[in-house]
mmCIF file of all heavy atoms in Angstrom:
data_model
loop_
_atom_site.group_PDB
_atom_site.id
_atom_site.type_symbol
_atom_site.label_atom_id
_atom_site.label_comp_id
_atom_site.label_asym_id
_atom_site.label_seq_id
_atom_site.Cartn_x
_atom_site.Cartn_y
_atom_site.Cartn_z
ATOM 1 N N GLN A 17 89.362 93.524 104.148
ATOM 2 C CA GLN A 17 88.940 94.920 104.279
ATOM 3 C C GLN A 17 89.728 95.796 103.311
ATOM 4 O O GLN A 17 90.943 95.625 103.161
ATOM 5 C CB GLN A 17 89.171 95.417 105.704
ATOM 6 C CG GLN A 17 88.208 94.848 106.728
ATOM 7 C CD GLN A 17 88.399 95.442 108.106
ATOM 8 O OE1 GLN A 17 89.520 95.627 108.550
ATOM 9 N NE2 GLN A 17 87.298 95.757 108.777
ATOM 10 N N LEU A 18 89.028 96.720 102.679
ATOM 11 C CA LEU A 18 89.644 97.698 101.792
ATOM 12 C C LEU A 18 89.260 99.089 102.286
ATOM 13 O O LEU A 18 88.090 99.335 102.596
ATOM 14 C CB LEU A 18 89.153 97.520 100.353
ATOM 15 C CG LEU A 18 89.387 96.161 99.684
ATOM 16 C CD1 LEU A 18 88.734 96.126 98.307
ATOM 17 C CD2 LEU A 18 90.864 95.860 99.580
ATOM 18 N N VAL A 19 90.233 99.972 102.359
ATOM 19 C CA VAL A 19 89.960 101.337 102.801
ATOM 20 C C VAL A 19 90.654 102.313 101.866
ATOM 21 O O VAL A 19 91.880 102.285 101.728
ATOM 22 C CB VAL A 19 90.435 101.585 104.248
ATOM 23 C CG1 VAL A 19 90.153 103.024 104.652
ATOM 24 C CG2 VAL A 19 89.752 100.629 105.201
ATOM 25 N N GLU A 20 89.853 103.183 101.252
ATOM 26 C CA GLU A 20 90.389 104.186 100.347
ATOM 27 C C GLU A 20 90.805 105.446 101.112
ATOM 28 O O GLU A 20 90.246 105.753 102.166
ATOM 29 C CB GLU A 20 89.354 104.593 99.285
ATOM 30 C CG GLU A 20 88.784 103.465 98.450
ATOM 31 C CD GLU A 20 87.521 102.882 99.024
ATOM 32 O OE1 GLU A 20 87.262 103.093 100.241
ATOM 33 O OE2 GLU A 20 86.780 102.206 98.285
ATOM 34 N N SER A 21 91.745 106.174 100.544
ATOM 35 C CA SER A 21 92.146 107.477 101.080
ATOM 36 C C SER A 21 92.718 108.321 99.954
ATOM 37 O O SER A 21 92.992 107.803 98.864
ATOM 38 C CB SER A 21 93.181 107.305 102.204
ATOM 39 O OG SER A 21 94.361 106.704 101.707
ATOM 40 N N GLY A 22 92.889 109.609 100.226
ATOM 41 C CA GLY A 22 93.513 110.496 99.252
ATOM 42 C C GLY A 22 92.557 111.397 98.504
ATOM 43 O O GLY A 22 92.985 112.237 97.713
ATOM 44 N N GLY A 23 91.259 111.217 98.722
ATOM 45 C CA GLY A 23 90.297 112.085 98.062
ATOM 46 C C GLY A 23 90.272 113.470 98.692
ATOM 47 O O GLY A 23 90.928 113.729 99.694
ATOM 48 N N GLY A 24 89.489 114.366 98.076
ATOM 49 C CA GLY A 24 89.365 115.716 98.596
ATOM 50 C C GLY A 24 89.020 116.688 97.498
ATOM 51 O O GLY A 24 88.769 116.277 96.354
ATOM 52 N N PRO A 25 89.009 117.980 97.814
ATOM 53 C CA PRO A 25 88.733 118.995 96.797
ATOM 54 C C PRO A 25 89.994 119.308 95.998
ATOM 55 O O PRO A 25 91.107 119.285 96.538
ATOM 56 C CB PRO A 25 88.304 120.200 97.632
ATOM 57 C CG PRO A 25 89.030 120.031 98.917
ATOM 58 C CD PRO A 25 89.125 118.558 99.160
ATOM 59 N N VAL A 26 89.811 119.610 94.720
ATOM 60 C CA VAL A 26 90.937 119.956 93.851
ATOM 61 C C VAL A 26 90.425 120.859 92.737
ATOM 62 O O VAL A 26 89.256 120.742 92.330
ATOM 63 C CB VAL A 26 91.612 118.680 93.290
ATOM 64 C CG1 VAL A 26 90.653 117.892 92.424
ATOM 65 C CG2 VAL A 26 92.889 119.004 92.553
ATOM 66 N N GLN A 27 91.268 121.740 92.264
ATOM 67 C CA GLN A 27 90.883 122.608 91.154
ATOM 68 C C GLN A 27 91.045 121.886 89.827
ATOM 69 O O GLN A 27 91.876 120.980 89.695
ATOM 70 C CB GLN A 27 91.731 123.873 91.176
ATOM 71 C CG GLN A 27 91.420 124.794 92.339
ATOM 72 C CD GLN A 27 92.102 126.139 92.209
ATOM 73 O OE1 GLN A 27 93.113 126.272 91.537
ATOM 74 N NE2 GLN A 27 91.536 127.147 92.857
ATOM 75 N N ALA A 28 90.245 122.292 88.861
ATOM 76 C CA ALA A 28 90.334 121.713 87.521
ATOM 77 C C ALA A 28 91.763 121.834 86.997
ATOM 78 O O ALA A 28 92.405 122.887 87.147
ATOM 79 C CB ALA A 28 89.352 122.403 86.585
ATOM 80 N N GLY A 29 92.243 120.747 86.413
ATOM 81 C CA GLY A 29 93.609 120.701 85.933
ATOM 82 C C GLY A 29 94.586 120.141 86.937
ATOM 83 O O GLY A 29 95.746 119.858 86.595
ATOM 84 N N GLY A 30 94.134 119.976 88.171
ATOM 85 C CA GLY A 30 94.994 119.472 89.231
ATOM 86 C C GLY A 30 95.090 117.957 89.256
ATOM 87 O O GLY A 30 94.526 117.266 88.403
ATOM 88 N N SER A 31 95.795 117.451 90.269
ATOM 89 C CA SER A 31 96.050 116.024 90.390
ATOM 90 C C SER A 31 95.762 115.533 91.802
ATOM 91 O O SER A 31 95.840 116.299 92.768
ATOM 92 C CB SER A 31 97.521 115.723 90.061
ATOM 93 O OG SER A 31 97.843 116.109 88.745
ATOM 94 N N LEU A 32 95.428 114.270 91.907
ATOM 95 C CA LEU A 32 95.276 113.581 93.176
ATOM 96 C C LEU A 32 95.764 112.156 92.997
ATOM 97 O O LEU A 32 95.694 111.610 91.891
ATOM 98 C CB LEU A 32 93.820 113.543 93.636
ATOM 99 C CG LEU A 32 93.194 114.804 94.242
ATOM 100 C CD1 LEU A 32 91.714 114.554 94.525
ATOM 101 C CD2 LEU A 32 93.902 115.216 95.516
ATOM 102 N N LYS A 33 96.219 111.554 94.100
ATOM 103 C CA LYS A 33 96.570 110.139 94.077
ATOM 104 C C LYS A 33 95.790 109.435 95.167
ATOM 105 O O LYS A 33 95.960 109.712 96.357
ATOM 106 C CB LYS A 33 98.067 109.940 94.286
ATOM 107 C CG LYS A 33 98.510 108.497 94.082
ATOM 108 C CD LYS A 33 100.033 108.367 94.125
ATOM 109 C CE LYS A 33 100.491 106.951 93.824
ATOM 110 N NZ LYS A 33 101.972 106.836 93.793
ATOM 111 N N LEU A 34 94.915 108.523 94.754
ATOM 112 C CA LEU A 34 94.130 107.744 95.689
ATOM 113 C C LEU A 34 94.879 106.468 96.068
ATOM 114 O O LEU A 34 95.596 105.897 95.240
ATOM 115 C CB LEU A 34 92.779 107.375 95.088
ATOM 116 C CG LEU A 34 91.910 108.529 94.571
ATOM 117 C CD1 LEU A 34 90.576 107.977 94.082
ATOM 118 C CD2 LEU A 34 91.717 109.585 95.621
ATOM 119 N N SER A 35 94.665 106.033 97.299
ATOM 120 C CA SER A 35 95.228 104.781 97.780
ATOM 121 C C SER A 35 94.107 103.896 98.295
ATOM 122 O O SER A 35 93.093 104.393 98.787
ATOM 123 C CB SER A 35 96.229 105.032 98.910
ATOM 124 O OG SER A 35 97.308 105.826 98.479
ATOM 125 N N CYS A 36 94.301 102.607 98.194
ATOM 126 C CA CYS A 36 93.358 101.625 98.721
ATOM 127 C C CYS A 36 94.181 100.577 99.465
ATOM 128 O O CYS A 36 94.884 99.769 98.850
ATOM 129 C CB CYS A 36 92.559 100.994 97.597
ATOM 130 S SG CYS A 36 91.530 99.601 98.090
ATOM 131 N N LYS A 37 94.094 100.619 100.788
ATOM 132 C CA LYS A 37 94.878 99.702 101.622
ATOM 133 C C LYS A 37 94.059 98.461 101.920
ATOM 134 O O LYS A 37 92.915 98.550 102.389
ATOM 135 C CB LYS A 37 95.265 100.409 102.922
ATOM 136 C CG LYS A 37 95.925 99.515 103.952
ATOM 137 C CD LYS A 37 97.277 99.022 103.511
ATOM 138 C CE LYS A 37 97.938 98.210 104.627
ATOM 139 N NZ LYS A 37 99.188 97.543 104.140
ATOM 140 N N ALA A 38 94.638 97.297 101.654
ATOM 141 C CA ALA A 38 93.980 96.032 101.928
ATOM 142 C C ALA A 38 94.501 95.444 103.233
ATOM 143 O O ALA A 38 95.696 95.519 103.532
ATOM 144 C CB ALA A 38 94.218 95.052 100.790
ATOM 145 N N SER A 39 93.600 94.854 104.004
ATOM 146 C CA SER A 39 93.988 94.178 105.237
ATOM 147 C C SER A 39 93.058 93.002 105.466
ATOM 148 O O SER A 39 92.059 92.824 104.761
ATOM 149 C CB SER A 39 93.928 95.148 106.428
ATOM 150 O OG SER A 39 92.612 95.624 106.619
ATOM 151 N N GLY A 40 93.407 92.215 106.448
ATOM 152 C CA GLY A 40 92.576 91.061 106.745
ATOM 153 C C GLY A 40 93.087 89.816 106.049
ATOM 154 O O GLY A 40 94.267 89.697 105.744
ATOM 155 N N ASP A 41 92.158 88.927 105.759
ATOM 156 C CA ASP A 41 92.514 87.628 105.206
ATOM 157 C C ASP A 41 92.650 87.701 103.689
ATOM 158 O O ASP A 41 91.810 87.228 102.940
ATOM 159 C CB ASP A 41 91.450 86.595 105.593
ATOM 160 C CG ASP A 41 91.827 85.194 105.142
ATOM 161 O OD1 ASP A 41 93.022 84.958 104.863
ATOM 162 O OD2 ASP A 41 90.915 84.347 105.045
ATOM 163 N N ASN A 42 93.691 88.344 103.206
ATOM 164 C CA ASN A 42 93.909 88.447 101.760
ATOM 165 C C ASN A 42 95.355 88.152 101.442
ATOM 166 O O ASN A 42 96.085 88.980 100.907
ATOM 167 C CB ASN A 42 93.479 89.812 101.231
ATOM 168 C CG ASN A 42 94.218 90.947 101.880
ATOM 169 O OD1 ASN A 42 94.767 90.822 102.961
ATOM 170 N ND2 ASN A 42 94.280 92.081 101.195
ATOM 171 N N LYS A 43 95.764 86.933 101.768
ATOM 172 C CA LYS A 43 97.148 86.529 101.536
ATOM 173 C C LYS A 43 97.501 86.545 100.056
ATOM 174 O O LYS A 43 98.670 86.611 99.695
ATOM 175 C CB LYS A 43 97.366 85.145 102.132
ATOM 176 C CG LYS A 43 97.184 85.088 103.634
ATOM 177 C CD LYS A 43 97.358 83.666 104.169
ATOM 178 C CE LYS A 43 97.156 83.624 105.681
ATOM 179 N NZ LYS A 43 97.282 82.247 106.216
ATOM 180 N N GLY A 44 96.488 86.450 99.213
ATOM 181 C CA GLY A 44 96.747 86.422 97.778
ATOM 182 C C GLY A 44 96.615 87.764 97.108
ATOM 183 O O GLY A 44 96.280 87.825 95.930
ATOM 184 N N PHE A 45 96.896 88.852 97.826
ATOM 185 C CA PHE A 45 96.703 90.201 97.291
ATOM 186 C C PHE A 45 97.383 90.362 95.941
ATOM 187 O O PHE A 45 96.828 90.962 95.024
ATOM 188 C CB PHE A 45 97.253 91.231 98.281
ATOM 189 C CG PHE A 45 97.143 92.655 97.798
ATOM 190 C CD1 PHE A 45 95.972 93.371 98.015
ATOM 191 C CD2 PHE A 45 98.191 93.275 97.126
ATOM 192 C CE1 PHE A 45 95.854 94.683 97.566
ATOM 193 C CE2 PHE A 45 98.082 94.584 96.679
ATOM 194 C CZ PHE A 45 96.912 95.284 96.902
ATOM 195 N N SER A 46 98.591 89.825 95.805
ATOM 196 C CA SER A 46 99.337 90.011 94.560
ATOM 197 C C SER A 46 98.632 89.362 93.379
ATOM 198 O O SER A 46 98.851 89.747 92.226
ATOM 199 C CB SER A 46 100.750 89.456 94.701
ATOM 200 O OG SER A 46 100.712 88.060 94.929
ATOM 201 N N ARG A 47 97.769 88.396 93.659
ATOM 202 C CA ARG A 47 97.072 87.706 92.572
ATOM 203 C C ARG A 47 95.632 88.170 92.401
ATOM 204 O O ARG A 47 94.934 87.711 91.500
ATOM 205 C CB ARG A 47 97.091 86.200 92.827
ATOM 206 C CG ARG A 47 98.491 85.603 92.900
ATOM 207 C CD ARG A 47 98.417 84.088 93.019
ATOM 208 N NE ARG A 47 97.710 83.668 94.223
ATOM 209 C CZ ARG A 47 98.271 83.556 95.414
ATOM 210 N NH1 ARG A 47 99.549 83.850 95.556
ATOM 211 N NH2 ARG A 47 97.573 83.146 96.456
ATOM 212 N N ASP A 48 95.185 89.066 93.268
ATOM 213 C CA ASP A 48 93.808 89.540 93.180
ATOM 214 C C ASP A 48 93.622 90.451 91.973
ATOM 215 O O ASP A 48 94.488 91.274 91.658
ATOM 216 C CB ASP A 48 93.417 90.328 94.427
ATOM 217 C CG ASP A 48 93.197 89.427 95.629
ATOM 218 O OD1 ASP A 48 93.193 88.188 95.452
ATOM 219 O OD2 ASP A 48 93.028 89.965 96.734
ATOM 220 N N CYS A 49 92.485 90.322 91.344
ATOM 221 C CA CYS A 49 92.077 91.276 90.325
ATOM 222 C C CYS A 49 91.460 92.462 91.058
ATOM 223 O O CYS A 49 90.626 92.280 91.949
ATOM 224 C CB CYS A 49 91.055 90.616 89.411
ATOM 225 S SG CYS A 49 90.439 91.680 88.114
ATOM 226 N N MET A 50 91.845 93.674 90.693
ATOM 227 C CA MET A 50 91.358 94.848 91.411
ATOM 228 C C MET A 50 90.945 95.946 90.436
ATOM 229 O O MET A 50 91.389 95.970 89.281
ATOM 230 C CB MET A 50 92.441 95.376 92.362
ATOM 231 C CG MET A 50 92.882 94.369 93.403
ATOM 232 S SD MET A 50 93.927 95.071 94.689
ATOM 233 C CE MET A 50 92.699 96.000 95.627
ATOM 234 N N ALA A 51 90.110 96.824 90.934
ATOM 235 C CA ALA A 51 89.621 97.892 90.060
ATOM 236 C C ALA A 51 89.229 99.110 90.879
ATOM 237 O O ALA A 51 88.974 99.014 92.080
ATOM 238 C CB ALA A 51 88.424 97.402 89.248
ATOM 239 N N TRP A 52 89.186 100.238 90.199
ATOM 240 C CA TRP A 52 88.618 101.458 90.741
ATOM 241 C C TRP A 52 87.303 101.735 90.022
ATOM 242 O O TRP A 52 87.235 101.668 88.792
ATOM 243 C CB TRP A 52 89.561 102.648 90.536
ATOM 244 C CG TRP A 52 90.752 102.638 91.439
ATOM 245 C CD1 TRP A 52 92.004 102.169 91.155
ATOM 246 C CD2 TRP A 52 90.805 103.122 92.783
ATOM 247 N NE1 TRP A 52 92.830 102.333 92.234
ATOM 248 C CE2 TRP A 52 92.126 102.920 93.252
ATOM 249 C CE3 TRP A 52 89.880 103.720 93.643
ATOM 250 C CZ2 TRP A 52 92.531 103.284 94.535
ATOM 251 C CZ3 TRP A 52 90.284 104.074 94.911
ATOM 252 C CH2 TRP A 52 91.592 103.860 95.347
ATOM 253 N N PHE A 53 86.290 102.027 90.816
ATOM 254 C CA PHE A 53 84.996 102.458 90.307
ATOM 255 C C PHE A 53 84.752 103.875 90.814
ATOM 256 O O PHE A 53 85.358 104.317 91.789
ATOM 257 C CB PHE A 53 83.875 101.551 90.846
ATOM 258 C CG PHE A 53 83.835 100.175 90.241
ATOM 259 C CD1 PHE A 53 84.797 99.211 90.565
ATOM 260 C CD2 PHE A 53 82.814 99.813 89.371
ATOM 261 C CE1 PHE A 53 84.751 97.936 90.012
ATOM 262 C CE2 PHE A 53 82.747 98.531 88.827
ATOM 263 C CZ PHE A 53 83.715 97.603 89.150
#
């Protein structure tokens, strides 16, 4: 399971930091290829 957080409204020029928490059967997280779309 992957769950994103950290989104929301922001003014132009501002910053945000998104997070994606992994859980479940993913013992190989450190070796997983990952991406943001």
Side-chain angles (χ1 to χ4, degrees):
Q17 288 184 318
L18 301 175
V19 179
E20 304 92 341
S21 63
V26 63
Q27 291 190 336
S31 300
L32 283 176
K33 188 173 184 177
L34 305 183
S35 299
C36 172
K37 172 67 176 172
S39 62
D41 185 19
N42 59 339
K43 297 178 181 178
F45 178 86
S46 63
R47 300 186 299 276
D48 286 352
C49 179
M50 300 190 74
W52 286 96
F53 287 73

